[in-house]
Every structure is written in structure tokens, then in C-alpha cells.
Amino acid sequence: MNSHWESAVRILAECFDDQLESLRRSLIADFAIVSSVCGNVYTLLAVNSELKLPSLAVGHDFPCRDSYCKQVVRSQQMLIHTHLEKFTHRILHPVFTVMQPESYIGEPLWIRGDVVGTLNFSGFTARPRGYCDQAIAQVKGLARAIEVELR
């Protein structure tokens, strides 16, 4: 992890851990993750969860070839999935092998005009009713606040 991202990890831990936890609980998600995506590498910059999975720790890198975060970066917009079981081709991705989530909401993080990562929340249960407008606005709002601090 380069020094810029080491600084980002420190800022995220100091300034956003409580907000990540609060929003994760509000969304009934099992994981809140802030990541950087550079080329085909997905790096965990912040992880908030009641579950402690060693493979999902800050600083870990994963190939992001077919990840939902890669889709967020490519599309440059929020991605929402409320029932991931039907997307069986994603199960082989290392993050999904570890987590096996059923729901996902991810927002791009912009720095100086480029998407550099994501803020995302995932859970082990499907969300048949999706995410309400307020929840979507909260995810977007937290992403904007994180961007300001990471600049």
C-alpha cells in the first residue's frame, strides 16, 4: 500500500469509523467497506463489521476482475443488488468466496475527477424491498464526506 493510501487508512479510521458503523447498522448490512481500485487491484482501506474475517482486513488486496466494485468504478455510478444469489458467476471472486453476500450497495469515490474506489455495504441477507431513497442518499452523502477528507 503506498503512502497516500496509508494516510487514507488513518483518516478513515479517525474520522469515519463511527459513521461507517452507524450507516452499516441502519442498512442492516454485515460489512461496510471503503476500497481503492487501481487497475485490477482492489485494496481494503476501511472495514467495519461485527464479524472479524482475517481475509477482509485493512490493507488486503484482491484481484477485482469481476467484482461489483469494479463495476462501480467502470460505470462511475452507484450499483445496487438486492438478491445476489441469482448472480452465480460472481461466486468465484475471492471477496465473494469469503463473504458470500446477498445484498450490495456501492457508490464511487471521486478524487480530482477520477473514480478511485468505492464505499460499499453488503449483507448476508437479501433485500426484497431494496433500499429506500433515504438509505441511498445516506450512502451517497457519506461517500461525498469521505472524498472531501481524502483529497
Side-chain angles (χ1 to χ4, degrees):
M1 186 178 328
N2 68 37
S3 61
H4 174 75
W5 291 125
E6 288 173 5
S7 173
V9 166
R10 198 171 35 261
I11 289 167
L12 290 166
E14 291 172 3
C15 301
F16 292 101
D17 195 51
D18 290 343
Q19 291 176 56
L20 287 168
E21 181 175 5
S22 177
L23 186 51
R24 178 185 58 78
R25 288 177 184 268
S26 172
L27 295 172
I28 313 171
D30 294 293
F31 293 91
I33 294 175
V34 178
S35 70
S36 73
V37 177
C38 184
N40 288 318
V41 179
Y42 172 92
T43 303
L44 301 176
L45 301 178
V47 178
N48 182 282
S49 178
E50 291 178 4
L51 305 169
K52 301 302 177 207
L53 301 177
S55 56
L56 290 179
V58 171
H60 280 212
D61 293 328
F62 298 94
C64 65
R65 57 188 172 264
D66 291 328
S67 71
Y68 290 110
C69 289
K70 183 70 171 187
Q71 287 182 21
V72 171
V73 170
R74 247 188 255 137
S75 69
Q76 300 184 343
Q77 59 187 350
M78 180 176 271
L79 178 67
I80 297 174
H81 286 297
T82 57
H83 191 47
L84 291 172
E85 183 179 88
K86 61 187 172 185
F87 296 103
T88 56
H89 65 284
R90 301 276 184 225
I91 299 300
L92 298 178
H93 187 272
V95 173
F96 288 84
T97 302
V98 171
M99 292 175 50
Q100 298 180 352
E102 284 294 316
S103 58
Y104 175 92
I105 181 170
E107 175 70 0
L109 294 174
W110 294 82
I111 302 213
R112 290 183 278 290
D114 294 315
V115 176
V116 297
T118 67
L119 166 64
N120 65 80
F121 297 84
S122 55
F124 295 125
T125 56
R127 297 185 62 103
R129 286 179 254 156
Y131 293 93
C132 69
D133 291 343
Q134 179 184 0
I136 291 169
Q138 289 174 315
V139 172
K140 287 177 178 281
L142 183 54
R144 300 300 78 84
I146 289 170
E147 291 166 351
V148 167
E149 290 299 319
L150 295 183
R151 288 191 177 127

